[in-house]
Amino acid sequence: MGSSVRELAEKTPAGRDRYIDLLRVASLGTVVVGHWLMAAVTVGDDGRAEVGNLLAVVPQLQLLTWALQIMPVFFFVGGFAHALSYRSLSRASNGGSVYSAFLRARLQRLLRPTMVFIGVWGAGALILQLGGQGGGLLDVALRLVAQPLWFIGIYLAMVAFTPPLLRLHERWGWGAFAALVAAAGAVDVARFAFGVPYLEFLNFAFVWLAVHQLGFLRADGKLRLPYALAGTGLAGAALLVALGPYPLSMVGMPGERVSNMAPPTFALLCHGLWLVGAVEALRGPATRWLARPRVWRGVVAANGISMTAFLWHLTAMLGVYGMLLALGVPLPEPASAAWWAQVPLRMAAAAALTAALVAAFRRFERPAAAEPIAPGTASGPAAALGVTLCLFGVLGLSMVGFGGLLEGRTAMLVAVHVTAPAAVAMALVGWLLVERAGGRVRARRWQ
């Protein structure tokens, strides 16, 4: 892998925005480390294992989420990359469906490792259930490992909406972004001031697509005055938390009446503005740092495995806790001195196990070889149906988990009850439709 990374790094086009690649890797890495740190596993008197949240044990630490809830940066990066990719494919098309080719090009490295993850965990869960195995930390793992898939579902929606929102951006610029911000604010007013039910779920679209739209502005060089953007976002989030119904934590907390994450709130949108402004303010020195060959090779290497690591990092973390329990190692009370003393060892072990899982599954993250679009080889409606099925399948699985496959355990996805087998089937069929509908394409840029 070292030689291929070196070759990729050396062949980097002069005009490539290396900082965007660093942000992509850094945002996913921050999520991984945050999950490892926040997990607080305990074993009750009845022997049942539970995974709590360190931020609930030590509420003062919730302020850290204002820096470590980094997902808005990843979606911002996505907007930048999607704008470049769609425009490149539009220039390269020869009469084929740009939309379906765009979906396939953008989703290859996302869906292939995701489908492998779903397949491995789904098969393992079925074998365990048929063998009568379960209980303890295993049941917790079957429920938790699928939760990060919500991020992939949201990202699928962003890719699907890129063409129409990019056209709006090209016509209205900042006006298109402002419209999404206004819509997100209106949803929260209707939710909190007037108690309108179910409307809050619209902010899964309005909040995250507004952040995504900032990536379009960045791609066109229109995202200026980063300090003003960061200051406005930070002040807005602080005022909303201090004076409104919004909690301090920018991630979901167990037992909270209101979560800033599910569904997203206007406070989370302000948080996204603050983060995007902050990372943009650091672009100059970071770009100079990335000009160093060794640093850039590290970013290239990390980009090649980042999605695989993200998918499997909770598996590794729970595997480490499982080994500790199997070896009879006592788990200290969360946030105690003994617990903090164990943190470096647990995180090092989780990193090592994640590296082993990445070594096993990273080949599925490599995009397949592709050729230019041929006229009539791609189907836009089939691709749209495929990404929709993937979206609902992945989101449904993130909610219901892999437990209770044979009992028909369900979770509520907006207004529909979904089971794990149904979610897996939707995701698989959707992925196949996207793969077949997309034709074969090579974008001119590898952003």
Side-chain angles (χ1 to χ4, degrees), residues 36 312-313 316-317 320 323 344-360:
W36 287 344
W312 291 98
H313 77 281
M317 181 199 75
V320 169
M323 287 186 286
L345 297 176
R346 287 199 306 267
M347 295 185 71
L353 187 50
T354 300
L357 291 166
V358 166

CSV table of all heavy atoms in Angstrom, one decimal, residues 36 312-313 316-317 320 323 344-360:
chain,number,residue,atom,x,y,z
A,36,TRP,N,-15.2,6.4,21.0
A,36,TRP,CA,-14.4,5.6,22.0
A,36,TRP,C,-14.3,6.2,23.3
A,36,TRP,O,-14.4,5.5,24.4
A,36,TRP,CB,-13.0,5.4,21.4
A,36,TRP,CG,-12.9,4.5,20.2
A,36,TRP,CD1,-13.8,3.7,19.8
A,36,TRP,CD2,-11.8,4.4,19.3
A,36,TRP,NE1,-13.4,3.0,18.7
A,36,TRP,CE2,-12.1,3.4,18.4
A,36,TRP,CE3,-10.5,5.0,19.2
A,36,TRP,CZ2,-11.2,3.1,17.3
A,36,TRP,CZ3,-9.7,4.7,18.2
A,36,TRP,CH2,-10.0,3.7,17.3
A,312,TRP,N,-16.4,0.3,11.1
A,312,TRP,CA,-16.0,-0.8,12.0
A,312,TRP,C,-15.5,-0.3,13.4
A,312,TRP,O,-15.2,-1.1,14.2
A,312,TRP,CB,-15.0,-1.6,11.3
A,312,TRP,CG,-15.5,-2.4,10.2
A,312,TRP,CD1,-15.4,-2.1,8.9
A,312,TRP,CD2,-16.3,-3.6,10.2
A,312,TRP,NE1,-16.1,-3.0,8.1
A,312,TRP,CE2,-16.6,-4.0,8.9
A,312,TRP,CE3,-16.7,-4.5,11.3
A,312,TRP,CZ2,-17.3,-5.1,8.6
A,312,TRP,CZ3,-17.4,-5.6,11.0
A,312,TRP,CH2,-17.7,-5.9,9.7
A,313,HIS,N,-15.5,1.0,13.6
A,313,HIS,CA,-14.8,1.4,14.9
A,313,HIS,C,-15.6,1.1,16.1
A,313,HIS,O,-15.0,0.8,17.2
A,313,HIS,CB,-14.5,3.0,14.9
A,313,HIS,CG,-15.7,3.8,15.1
A,313,HIS,ND1,-16.7,4.1,14.1
A,313,HIS,CD2,-16.2,4.5,16.2
A,313,HIS,CE1,-17.6,4.9,14.6
A,313,HIS,NE2,-17.3,5.1,15.9
A,316,ALA,N,-14.9,-2.5,16.9
A,316,ALA,CA,-13.7,-2.7,17.6
A,316,ALA,C,-13.8,-2.3,19.1
A,316,ALA,O,-13.3,-3.0,20.0
A,316,ALA,CB,-12.6,-1.9,16.9
A,317,MET,N,-14.4,-1.2,19.4
A,317,MET,CA,-14.6,-0.7,20.7
A,317,MET,C,-15.3,-1.7,21.6
A,317,MET,O,-14.9,-2.1,22.7
A,317,MET,CB,-15.3,0.6,20.8
A,317,MET,CG,-15.5,1.2,22.1
A,317,MET,SD,-16.8,2.5,22.2
A,317,MET,CE,-18.3,1.4,22.2
A,320,VAL,N,-13.2,-4.8,22.3
A,320,VAL,CA,-12.3,-4.6,23.4
A,320,VAL,C,-12.9,-4.7,24.8
A,320,VAL,O,-12.4,-5.4,25.7
A,320,VAL,CB,-11.6,-3.2,23.3
A,320,VAL,CG1,-10.8,-2.8,24.6
A,320,VAL,CG2,-10.7,-3.1,22.1
A,323,MET,N,-13.6,-8.4,25.4
A,323,MET,CA,-12.4,-9.1,25.8
A,323,MET,C,-12.0,-8.8,27.3
A,323,MET,O,-11.6,-9.7,28.0
A,323,MET,CB,-11.2,-8.7,24.9
A,323,MET,CG,-11.3,-9.3,23.5
A,323,MET,SD,-9.8,-9.0,22.5
A,323,MET,CE,-10.0,-7.3,22.1
A,344,PRO,N,-6.4,5.4,28.1
A,344,PRO,CA,-5.4,5.2,27.0
A,344,PRO,C,-5.2,3.8,26.5
A,344,PRO,O,-5.1,3.5,25.3
A,344,PRO,CB,-4.1,5.7,27.7
A,344,PRO,CG,-4.6,6.6,28.8
A,344,PRO,CD,-5.9,6.0,29.3
A,345,LEU,N,-5.3,2.8,27.5
A,345,LEU,CA,-5.2,1.4,27.1
A,345,LEU,C,-6.3,0.9,26.3
A,345,LEU,O,-6.2,0.2,25.3
A,345,LEU,CB,-5.0,0.5,28.4
A,345,LEU,CG,-3.8,0.8,29.2
A,345,LEU,CD1,-3.8,0.0,30.5
A,345,LEU,CD2,-2.5,0.6,28.4
A,346,ARG,N,-7.6,1.3,26.7
A,346,ARG,CA,-8.7,0.9,25.9
A,346,ARG,C,-8.7,1.5,24.5
A,346,ARG,O,-9.0,0.8,23.5
A,346,ARG,CB,-10.0,1.3,26.6
A,346,ARG,CG,-10.3,0.5,27.9
A,346,ARG,CD,-11.8,0.7,28.2
A,346,ARG,NE,-12.2,2.1,28.4
A,346,ARG,CZ,-12.1,2.8,29.5
A,346,ARG,NH1,-11.7,2.1,30.6
A,346,ARG,NH2,-12.5,4.0,29.6
A,347,MET,N,-8.3,2.8,24.4
A,347,MET,CA,-8.3,3.4,23.1
A,347,MET,C,-7.2,2.8,22.2
A,347,MET,O,-7.4,2.7,21.0
A,347,MET,CB,-8.2,4.9,23.2
A,347,MET,CG,-9.4,5.5,23.9
A,347,MET,SD,-9.4,7.3,24.0
A,347,MET,CE,-9.6,7.8,22.3
A,348,ALA,N,-6.1,2.5,22.8
A,348,ALA,CA,-5.0,1.9,22.0
A,348,ALA,C,-5.4,0.5,21.5
A,348,ALA,O,-5.2,0.2,20.3
A,348,ALA,CB,-3.7,1.8,22.8
A,349,ALA,N,-6.1,-0.2,22.3
A,349,ALA,CA,-6.6,-1.5,21.9
A,349,ALA,C,-7.7,-1.4,20.8
A,349,ALA,O,-7.7,-2.2,19.9
A,349,ALA,CB,-7.1,-2.3,23.1
A,350,ALA,N,-8.6,-0.4,21.0
A,350,ALA,CA,-9.6,-0.2,20.0
A,350,ALA,C,-9.0,0.2,18.7
A,350,ALA,O,-9.4,-0.2,17.6
A,350,ALA,CB,-10.6,0.8,20.5
A,351,ALA,N,-7.9,1.0,18.7
A,351,ALA,CA,-7.3,1.4,17.5
A,351,ALA,C,-6.6,0.3,16.8
A,351,ALA,O,-6.7,0.1,15.6
A,351,ALA,CB,-6.2,2.5,17.8
A,352,ALA,N,-6.0,-0.6,17.6
A,352,ALA,CA,-5.3,-1.8,17.0
A,352,ALA,C,-6.4,-2.7,16.4
A,352,ALA,O,-6.1,-3.3,15.3
A,352,ALA,CB,-4.5,-2.5,18.1
A,353,LEU,N,-7.5,-3.0,17.0
A,353,LEU,CA,-8.5,-3.8,16.5
A,353,LEU,C,-9.2,-3.2,15.3
A,353,LEU,O,-9.5,-3.9,14.3
A,353,LEU,CB,-9.5,-4.1,17.6
A,353,LEU,CG,-10.6,-5.2,17.2
A,353,LEU,CD1,-10.0,-6.5,16.7
A,353,LEU,CD2,-11.5,-5.5,18.4
A,354,THR,N,-9.4,-1.9,15.3
A,354,THR,CA,-9.9,-1.2,14.1
A,354,THR,C,-8.9,-1.4,12.9
A,354,THR,O,-9.4,-1.6,11.8
A,354,THR,CB,-10.1,0.3,14.4
A,354,THR,OG1,-11.1,0.4,15.5
A,354,THR,CG2,-10.7,1.0,13.2
A,355,ALA,N,-7.6,-1.2,13.2
A,355,ALA,CA,-6.6,-1.4,12.1
A,355,ALA,C,-6.7,-2.8,11.5
A,355,ALA,O,-6.6,-3.0,10.3
A,355,ALA,CB,-5.2,-1.1,12.7
A,356,ALA,N,-6.9,-3.8,12.4
A,356,ALA,CA,-7.1,-5.2,11.9
A,356,ALA,C,-8.3,-5.3,11.0
A,356,ALA,O,-8.3,-6.0,9.9
A,356,ALA,CB,-7.1,-6.2,13.0
A,357,LEU,N,-9.4,-4.7,11.4
A,357,LEU,CA,-10.6,-4.8,10.6
A,357,LEU,C,-10.5,-4.0,9.3
A,357,LEU,O,-11.0,-4.5,8.3
A,357,LEU,CB,-11.8,-4.3,11.4
A,357,LEU,CG,-12.2,-5.1,12.6
A,357,LEU,CD1,-13.2,-4.3,13.6
A,357,LEU,CD2,-12.9,-6.4,12.2
A,358,VAL,N,-9.8,-2.9,9.4
A,358,VAL,CA,-9.5,-2.1,8.1
A,358,VAL,C,-8.7,-3.0,7.2
A,358,VAL,O,-9.0,-3.0,6.0
A,358,VAL,CB,-8.9,-0.8,8.5
A,358,VAL,CG1,-8.3,-0.2,7.2
A,358,VAL,CG2,-9.8,0.1,9.1
A,359,ALA,N,-7.7,-3.7,7.7
A,359,ALA,CA,-6.9,-4.5,6.8
A,359,ALA,C,-7.7,-5.6,6.1
A,359,ALA,O,-7.4,-6.0,5.0
A,359,ALA,CB,-5.7,-5.1,7.6
A,360,ALA,N,-8.7,-6.1,6.9
A,360,ALA,CA,-9.5,-7.1,6.3
A,360,ALA,C,-10.5,-6.6,5.3
A,360,ALA,O,-10.8,-7.3,4.3
A,360,ALA,CB,-10.3,-7.9,7.4
